[in-house]
């Protein structure tokens, strides 16, 4: 009898321990994007306010289990973080950093100098001193506050036109082309440890790529710190050009900088005007032809999307030594900015997780490249 009790209590201890061990083993071995690509590059995701405030349990789970990098989709842009001359708004950005630290993630600050999403007082300012003061204060204050906590900064965003010349932004018009160098110098001073990136869309395309190469070369020649080039990667399943992307990876890495794909998504919707890229100021009218999949994405389109993502990630893996990070621009299809850009009110399917947070075929085509 005594023996039996002993046996039972021993079993009582051993069995749960055995099952716990099984569960923790299973947890460890669950393959997710970040575990599968751990040795290759950071797998990042752009997150919005609802994610930073951890309001959405399903999204939280995906962000934490699938990704090891985060970028702030909007809340570190000047119009949000620096709305008035002497007023900064750090509530959400502080929480964004805490979230990244808590989950041991690679944190990207987006973005210090950009012509878009600027506060009204600077948007159309044509006074050199004002714009210079704004830029200096902005970089010193924002990058300074998070010094040592941010892993990389998109220092200058979208400074180029499609032909590779400099964009006629408020910065170029008031400060001249030297503003790019000054922005990088100020960022390096404010946060010496962060990796500093030049970020843009369509810079895989030859003419614009040439412009980006010039920017990197000039900074390097002047002895200014620049660590990488961010290719945004807002592409389409209909026009994805792998050769250009490969050429761009090779060209940029020859300059001695890393390449990151910073805002990856693949639109599945038609763009008959052949509008390439992501100029946020472009917008067009909605119509049934432009919004064909309101009832769901057809399987045939899902297959193409999965194939394009597979092709892309094969290329990324081939060049993994040159690539630091791949960041998806949004958590799931419902969250994607491509439901509103370049036409408002469409239903798009550009990411790896669907509106119900389920993994799409495209998710598995990326994951299964890693055995
Ligand atoms: C987009 C955001 O995703 C949208 O929510 C916002 O309304 C507009 O900006 N290039 C960039 C990003 O560098 O900051 C843009 O993000 C997409 C294009």
């Amino acid at each position: 009898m005594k023996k039996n009790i002993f046996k039972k209590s021993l079993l009582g201890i051993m069995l749960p321990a055995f099952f716990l061990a099984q569960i923790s083993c299973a947890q460890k071995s669950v393959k997710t994007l970040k575990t599968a690509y751990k040795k290759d590059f950071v797998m990042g995701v752009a997150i919005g306010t609802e994610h930073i405030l951890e309001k959405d349990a399903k999204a939280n789970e995906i962000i934490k289990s699938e990704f090891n990098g985060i970028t702030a989709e909007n809340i570190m842009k000047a119009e949000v973080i620096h709305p008035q001359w002497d007023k900064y708004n750090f509530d959400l950005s502080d929480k964004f950093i805490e979230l990244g630290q808590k989950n041991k993630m690679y944190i990207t600050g987006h973005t210090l100098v950009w012509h878009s999403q600027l506060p009204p007082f600077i948007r159309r300012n044509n006074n050199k001193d004002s714009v210079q003061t704004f830029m200096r204060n902005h970089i010193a204050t924002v990058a300074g506050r998070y010094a040592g906590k941010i892993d990389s900064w998109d220092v200058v965003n979208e400074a180029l036109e499609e032909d590779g010349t400099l964009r006629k932004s408020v910065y170029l018009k008031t400060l001249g082309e030297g503003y790019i160098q000054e922005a990088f110098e100020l960022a390096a001073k404010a946060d010496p440890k962060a990796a500093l990136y030049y970020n843009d869309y369509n810079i895989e395309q030859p003419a614009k790529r040439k412009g980006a190469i010039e920017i990197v070369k000039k900074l390097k020649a002047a002895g200014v710190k620049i660590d990488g080039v961010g290719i945004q990667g807002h592409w389409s399943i209909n026009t994805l050009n792998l050769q250009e992307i490969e050429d761009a990876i090779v060209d940029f890495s020859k300059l001695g900088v890393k390449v990151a794909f910073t805002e990856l998504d693949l639109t599945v919707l038609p763009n008959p005007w052949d509008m390439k890229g992501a100029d946020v100021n472009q917008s067009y009218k909605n119509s049934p032809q432009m919004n064909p999949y309101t009832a769901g994405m057809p399987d045939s389109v899902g297959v193409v999307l999965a194939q394009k993502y597979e092709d892309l990630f094969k290329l990324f893996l081939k060049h993994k030594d040159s690539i630091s990070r791949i960041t998806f621009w949004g958590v799931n299809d419902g969250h994607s900015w491509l439901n509103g850009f370049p036409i408002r009110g469409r239903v798009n399917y550009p990411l790896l997780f669907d509106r119900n947070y389920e993994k799409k075929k495209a998710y598995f085509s990326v994951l299964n490249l890693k055995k």
Side-chain angles (χ1 to χ4, degrees):
M1 182 68 177
K2 226 181 180 183
K3 220 176 167 185
N4 257 346
I5 289 173
F6 176 70
K7 254 194 188 164
K8 265 191 188 156
S9 58
L10 194 66
L11 261 186
I13 295 168
M14 300 280 287
L15 269 181
F18 174 75
F19 283 119
L20 274 179
Q22 295 295 304
I23 291 167
S24 93
C25 240
Q27 270 172 355
K28 265 184 210 149
S29 63
V30 171
K31 194 165 82 168
T32 66
L33 296 173
K34 74 170 176 190
T35 62
Y37 283 88
K38 197 172 179 175
K39 296 210 176 105
D40 306 310
F41 27 68
V42 171
M43 283 294 240
V45 62
I47 61 174
T49 304
E50 69 273 32
H51 310 118
I52 294 168
L53 298 177
E54 300 192 78
K55 285 195 166 158
D56 179 339
K58 285 186 178 165
N60 290 346
E61 181 48 33
I62 290 178
I63 294 165
K64 287 176 197 166
S65 59
E66 299 286 345
F67 299 103
N68 52 11
I70 47 173
T71 302
E73 183 183 7
N74 284 304
I75 58 101
M76 294 182 106
K77 292 173 180 171
E79 72 175 357
V80 181
I81 208 168
H82 189 175
Q84 291 163 36
W85 272 114
D86 293 320
K87 191 174 175 290
Y88 291 85
N89 212 337
F90 290 124
D91 288 355
L92 283 167
S93 49
D94 285 356
K95 292 203 170 80
F96 166 75
I97 303 284
E98 277 165 31
L99 182 77
Q101 289 184 323
K102 193 168 80 183
N103 294 296
K104 301 192 173 44
M105 289 164 140
Y106 186 94
I107 302 175
T108 298
H110 176 78
T111 170
L112 293 170
V113 176
W114 188 28
H115 65 278
S116 202
Q117 290 180 270
L118 281 170
F121 67 89
I122 212 74
R123 219 170 279 160
R124 269 174 228 96
N125 200 317
N126 48 28
N127 182 287
K128 180 174 185 253
D129 286 343
S130 303
V131 176
Q132 192 156 51
T133 305
F134 170 78
M135 185 175 90
R136 288 179 177 169
N137 288 345
H138 181 79
I139 297 179
T141 310
V142 178
R145 181 177 182 93
Y146 299 117
K149 297 178 177 171
I150 291 256
D151 294 287
S152 72
W153 267 112
D154 292 337
V155 179
V156 175
N157 195 31
E158 303 183 351
L160 292 165
E161 305 277 3
E162 296 309 288
D163 65 0
T165 60
L166 289 179
R167 183 189 284 270
K168 284 141 207 83
S169 68
V170 65
Y171 291 105
L172 184 76
K173 283 192 216 150
T174 53
L175 309 181
E177 63 179 271
Y179 85 88
I180 297 178
Q181 178 170 332
E182 186 173 10
F184 275 85
E185 285 169 340
L186 291 168
K189 191 162 169 242
D191 187 352
K193 285 199 184 134
L196 305 183
Y197 277 69
Y198 173 71
N199 194 52
D200 210 333
Y201 60 89
N202 287 353
I203 48 172
E204 69 282 359
Q205 294 175 20
K208 204 165 176 181
R209 190 196 315 156
K210 237 172 127 215
I213 290 171
E214 278 309 301
I215 289 178
V216 177
K217 279 190 173 163
K218 275 191 186 154
L219 291 176
K220 290 247 174 204
V224 177
K225 176 177 153 78
I226 174 164
D227 301 286
V229 170
I231 300 175
Q232 289 185 3
H234 295 294
W235 292 313
S236 159
I237 60 166
N238 301 314
T239 55
L240 186 68
N241 187 329
L242 293 170
Q243 189 57 57
E244 282 181 354
I245 298 168
E246 180 159 31
D247 292 346
I249 298 171
V250 171
D251 281 0
F252 290 134
S253 57
K254 271 194 210 147
L255 303 173
V257 292
K258 284 282 182 192
V259 178
F261 291 87
T262 52
E263 306 185 13
L264 181 59
D265 49 26
L266 295 180
T267 183
V268 305
L269 298 182
N271 275 344
W273 49 77
D274 195 28
M275 195 218 73
K276 289 182 183 169
D279 187 330
V280 289
N281 297 315
Q282 285 170 297
S283 76
Y284 298 86
K285 282 224 169 73
N286 201 345
S287 71
Q289 294 100 297
M290 286 297 153
N291 193 15
Y293 309 134
T294 50
M297 178 175 63
D299 285 347
S300 56
V301 177
V303 168
V304 177
L305 181 74
Q307 186 61 53
K308 297 292 169 180
Y309 268 117
E310 184 176 326
D311 296 344
L312 256 181
F313 273 80
K314 274 188 186 151
L315 182 66
F316 294 157
L317 283 170
K318 178 175 171 198
H319 293 281
K320 63 182 181 186
D321 294 339
S322 308
I323 297 176
S324 52
R325 170 171 62 95
I326 314 289
T327 292
F328 290 88
W329 204 245
V331 179
N332 70 347
D333 286 342
H335 165 213
S336 170
W337 76 304
L338 292 176
N339 296 302
F341 175 88
I343 299 176
R344 292 228 178 101
R346 294 203 295 179
V347 186
N348 210 334
Y349 305 86
L351 297 169
L352 303 188
F353 294 89
D354 72 15
R355 284 174 168 70
N356 297 317
Y357 304 91
E358 298 295 335
K359 294 163 180 167
K360 292 160 65 176
K361 199 177 181 56
Y363 171 90
F364 293 103
S365 72
V366 171
L367 190 77
N368 291 338
L369 284 176
K370 300 295 295 184
K371 289 293 163 244

